[in-house]
Amino acid sequence: MKCLVLIDGVDTSTMTRDQLETFALRLKAEMEREREERNYFQMERDKIRTFWEISRGKFQEVTAEIRKKDHEIEMTQEIADLEAKQIMQQMKHLQFENADKISQIRAEAMTRLKVAQEDHVTQQLELLKDKRELRRLLREAEEVHEMQMQELKMTNVEELHQLRTRFERDVKDMELLHEEKMLVLKNEIELVYRMQMFEVEERKNTQIQKLIDNHDAAFNDMKNYYNDITLNNLSLISSLKQQMEALRKQTERSERLAADMIQENRKLKEPLEQAQQELQLLRRKLEFYDRDRAQLMRLKVRNAYVEKQLQGLTWETDALILRNDTLVKEREELKEKFEEVVIELQQKTGLKNVLLERKIAIMQKEGEKQKQLLKETMDRCVDTKDPKIRKLDAKAREARVENVLEEKNRAIHELSYELARITKAHDDLLATYESKLAQFGIPKEELGFEPLRKTVKWKYTCGPAGLVTENQ
């Protein structure tokens, strides 16, 4: 019974050499096409893996940058805390210095107040001394003025007596002169005297009136002079009295002013303490305000920088989200295509593997039969009586059998090699698909089928570029 040899569902036992060559070329073309598809999927896998590595590197860089920024924020906060502690320490030193300065100012103020009180007492004593001196001078001036008044009165009396005496003497002299003239001329000018008596009388009266007027004018001048002196003395006395009254009022005003200043100092002592306390509070608020303003400026700069970084990270996140969506869509498309290709390849490779295994099993059986037949033939050839013919026939038969065996072994070897290569391509494709599933986070259970794997260990290994080579 002749066994059938099926390759890819085709019986090769009835094929001619040309048909076998054509069939081998077709198988070779399919092998090249599958190799190109495998290389294409491997390149796509490498691209996706490279893109994934780049995206993961960028994500790690962004994460490291965020951690770095968080660390910088923590360092900035620690620096701010240290600065706050330093400022609080400086505030304590300033408060101590302020208290020391306030105590010094208070001591200086008390010293100045004591000095001012001593100066005031000294000035008061000097004013009292000046007052006593002015009173003494006033008494002396009054005594001198009284003496001058007495002297002026005596001088005035003497001058009045002298003037009266002189005028009386002049009058007497004039009367004597006129009497003598009258006596001398009485006889000579008795007629003329009578005629001119009236004129003489008039002139005499006029002269007397003039003398009286002159005397009255001189007396009025003297009276006015002494009245002016008296008025001047009275005005001087009144001015001195006014000065004394002004000094007395000034002394009383100074005493009242001193009392008012003492009371005002007592009244201003509590407001001074309150003002000093308010000054301390205002200085403290000013320091807090300066510190808060500096902190606010730093926070504004930091906020602007963080907002800028946040905006940049938001843009990068949006770009990454868009790219992620695109990659997810591409992954879904690749997944669908890959599932279709895997199912198709599994069907083809499964069918080819089954056919190749059947063909190998059939060829092994035929090889065993041929070996058995060859053995029987060799045994029959050995039974020949002519040793030369037996020898020649044996060599010829042996050579022919060896040629046939070599051809069969070569065919078996090629088929085994082809089976190992296709199995290796199938396993590589499954490994690539599983790595893609692992990269995209898809579990194997979601495939819905169990991939077919070859568990038999072949005597072929993978060479460069994933090619199957024979072990040497």
Side-chain angles (χ1 to χ4, degrees):
M1 183 178 179
K2 190 175 181 180
C3 295
L4 296 176
V5 180
L6 297 176
I7 298 175
D8 199 7
V10 180
D11 186 8
T12 57
S13 61
T14 59
M15 288 184 180
T16 61
R17 181 181 180 85
D18 295 333
Q19 290 177 352
L20 288 172
E21 289 178 356
T22 304
F23 184 69
L25 290 173
R26 186 169 64 82
L27 289 175
K28 188 175 182 180
E30 289 181 359
M31 180 185 67
E32 293 295 332
R33 183 176 59 80
E34 290 179 357
R35 182 180 296 171
E36 289 178 357
E37 289 180 355
R38 183 183 66 82
N39 292 330
Y40 173 74
F41 284 116
Q42 190 171 3
M43 289 175 65
E44 291 295 326
R45 180 196 64 185
D46 294 336
K47 287 181 181 179
I48 293 170
R49 181 177 295 173
T50 304
F51 182 73
W52 172 254
E53 292 294 333
I54 293 169
S55 300
R56 186 174 63 183
K58 289 183 179 179
F59 178 74
Q60 290 177 356
E61 290 177 358
V62 172
T63 306
E65 187 69 22
I66 292 171
R67 290 177 182 173
K68 184 178 179 182
K69 297 302 179 183
D70 293 335
H71 182 67
E72 290 179 357
I73 291 170
E74 291 177 357
M75 293 296 292
T76 306
Q77 186 65 33
E78 291 178 358
I79 292 169
D81 294 336
L82 291 175
E83 290 179 355
K85 290 181 181 178
Q86 292 177 0
I87 290 170
M88 292 298 293
Q89 190 69 24
Q90 291 177 1
M91 285 178 62
K92 289 181 180 179
H93 289 300
L94 290 174
Q95 288 177 357
F96 178 74
E97 291 177 359
N98 190 13
D100 191 9
K101 288 181 180 179
I102 289 170
S103 61
Q104 291 178 2
I105 291 169
R106 188 175 295 169
E108 290 177 358
M110 293 298 293
T111 305
R112 289 178 182 176
L113 183 61
K114 289 181 180 179
V115 172
Q117 289 178 355
E118 292 176 357
D119 292 337
H120 181 69
V121 171
T122 305
Q123 290 178 1
Q124 189 175 5
L125 293 174
E126 290 178 356
L127 288 172
L128 291 173
K129 185 177 179 181
D130 293 337
K131 183 179 179 181
R132 288 193 295 270
E133 186 67 23
L134 288 172
R135 286 179 180 176
R136 186 180 62 78
L137 292 174
L138 183 61
R139 286 195 298 271
E140 291 178 357
E142 287 178 352
E143 291 175 357
V144 171
H145 181 66
E146 288 178 357
M147 291 176 67
Q148 288 178 357
M149 287 292 292
Q150 290 177 2
E151 289 177 358
L152 287 172
K153 285 180 180 180
M154 292 176 67
T155 305
N156 191 11
V157 171
E158 288 178 359
E159 288 179 356
L160 285 173
H161 181 69
Q162 289 176 2
L163 287 172
R164 188 178 289 112
T165 304
R166 188 180 65 184
F167 283 124
E168 288 177 355
R169 188 175 59 249
D170 290 338
V171 169
K172 287 179 179 180
D173 291 336
M174 289 177 71
E175 287 178 353
L176 290 173
L177 179 63
H178 285 294
E179 286 178 356
E180 287 177 357
K181 285 181 179 182
M182 286 176 68
L183 289 174
V184 172
L185 294 174
K186 184 176 180 180
N187 295 321
E188 293 178 358
I189 56 171
E190 186 176 3
L191 295 173
V192 177
Y193 176 74
R194 289 178 180 178
M195 293 174 64
Q196 295 180 351
M197 189 65 183
F198 183 74
E199 294 179 358
V200 171
E201 287 292 335
E202 288 182 356
R203 285 197 298 270
K204 184 180 73 172
N205 292 327
T206 303
Q207 187 67 27
I208 291 168
Q209 188 66 35
K210 287 181 179 180
L211 290 173
I212 292 169
D213 292 335
N214 291 327
H215 182 269
D216 291 334
F219 182 76
N220 289 325
D221 290 335
M222 289 177 68
K223 186 177 180 180
N224 291 326
Y225 174 72
Y226 287 112
N227 288 328
D228 292 334
I229 291 171
T230 304
L231 291 172
N232 289 328
N233 291 328
L234 291 173
S235 63
L236 180 61
I237 291 167
S238 62
S239 64
L240 290 173
K241 287 182 179 180
Q242 290 177 359
Q243 289 179 0
M244 287 179 67
E245 186 67 22
L247 289 172
R248 185 178 62 78
K249 290 180 179 180
Q250 186 176 2
T251 303
E252 292 177 356
R253 188 166 59 252
S254 297
E255 291 176 355
R256 288 196 301 271
L257 182 61
D260 293 336
M261 287 179 68
I262 292 169
Q263 292 179 359
E264 187 175 359
N265 287 328
R266 291 176 181 175
K267 290 179 181 179
L268 291 175
K269 186 175 181 181
E270 294 180 357
L272 178 61
E273 293 177 354
Q274 293 178 359
Q276 289 176 354
Q277 293 177 359
E278 290 179 357
L279 179 62
Q280 291 179 359
L281 292 174
L282 290 174
R283 285 180 179 175
R284 192 176 301 166
K285 289 181 180 179
L286 180 61
E287 292 176 357
F288 289 157
Y289 174 73
D290 293 334
R291 186 187 66 184
D292 294 337
R293 185 175 62 184
Q295 185 69 20
L296 181 61
M297 294 298 293
R298 288 196 296 270
L299 289 175
K300 283 183 179 179
V301 174
R302 181 66 182 171
N303 189 15
Y305 180 69
V306 171
E307 285 181 355
K308 187 176 180 181
Q309 287 186 346
L310 180 61
Q311 188 176 5
L313 291 173
T314 305
W315 291 346
E316 291 180 0
T317 305
D318 294 336
L320 289 174
I321 289 170
L322 292 174
R323 292 177 66 183
N324 189 17
D325 294 336
T326 306
L327 289 174
V328 169
K329 291 180 181 178
E330 292 178 356
R331 185 191 69 181
E332 295 296 332
E333 293 176 357
L334 289 173
K335 181 180 177 182
E336 293 176 358
K337 291 180 180 180
F338 195 69
E339 288 177 355
E340 293 176 357
V341 171
V342 166
I343 293 170
E344 185 178 356
L345 287 175
Q346 282 183 349
Q347 292 176 357
K348 290 182 179 180
T349 54
L351 183 59
K352 288 181 180 180
N353 289 331
V354 171
L355 293 174
L356 289 173
E357 287 176 356
R358 289 180 181 178
K359 189 182 288 185
I360 289 169
I362 293 168
M363 292 182 71
Q364 286 178 354
K365 290 179 180 180
E366 289 182 354
E368 291 177 356
K369 290 180 180 180
Q370 292 293 332
K371 286 181 180 180
Q372 187 66 30
L373 182 61
L374 180 60
K375 186 177 180 182
E376 292 177 356
T377 305
M378 292 296 291
D379 293 335
R380 289 177 183 178
C381 290
V382 172
D383 293 335
T384 306
K385 294 180 178 180
D386 192 354
K388 292 181 180 180
I389 296 171
R390 185 176 56 190
K391 186 176 181 181
L392 291 173
D393 292 336
K395 288 181 179 179
R397 288 179 180 276
E398 187 177 355
R400 186 175 180 182
V401 170
E402 287 178 357
N403 291 329
V404 173
L405 289 174
E406 286 179 359
E407 290 178 0
K408 297 296 182 180
N409 290 329
R410 193 180 298 113
I412 292 169
H413 181 72
E414 289 178 357
L415 291 173
S416 299
Y417 177 75
E418 186 69 19
L419 178 62
R421 190 185 63 77
I422 293 171
T423 305
K424 180 64 172 61
H426 177 264
D427 294 337
D428 291 339
L429 186 60
L430 288 176
T432 303
Y433 181 68
E434 289 176 356
S435 64
K436 288 296 181 182
L437 292 177
Q439 287 181 2
F440 290 112
I442 300 172
K444 297 179 182 179
E445 290 78 9
E446 293 183 1
L447 292 176
F449 61 90
E450 184 68 24
L452 181 62
R453 292 184 179 275
K454 188 69 177 178
T455 58
V456 180
K457 293 184 179 179
W458 301 92
K459 61 177 181 178
Y460 299 96
T461 58
C462 292
L467 298 177
V468 178
T469 59
E470 184 179 0
N471 289 331
Q472 299 294 332

